[in-house]
Amino acid sequence: MKYGILQALGVGLLVLGAKGAIRQLFDHDNAGLLAWLPGGFAVSITVHVLAAAGGVALAGWARTAAKAADRAS
């Protein structure tokens, strides 16, 4: 159960990061959730990409851990 929740959080983070990065590539002035962040386009697109990459890493780790836990039981 724990790994399922972490996997869902990772996928959610991936979706938010990818959606924000794609939106910002088409409309540089629309920072969305990161409008409060100083630094302009470069900083906000970097944060979106890092969020997407972190989501992929979290979801992948949770999936691997869930498979290992299933095999152990």
Side-chain angles (χ1 to χ4, degrees):
M1 178 74 172
K2 163 176 73 170
Y3 296 116
I5 292 170
L6 287 175
Q7 190 174 1
L9 287 174
V11 170
L13 192 58
L14 167 65
V15 168
L16 285 175
K19 178 184 175 286
I22 291 168
R23 180 189 61 240
Q24 197 146 31
L25 286 174
F26 286 104
D27 184 8
H28 296 303
D29 296 329
N30 185 1
L33 292 174
L34 300 178
W36 58 271
L37 193 63
F41 173 75
V43 172
S44 60
I45 195 77
T46 302
V47 172
H48 281 298
V49 170
L50 288 175
V56 167
L58 179 61
W61 173 82
R63 180 66 180 153
T64 303
K67 281 185 177 182
D70 284 344
R71 282 189 214 122
S73 57

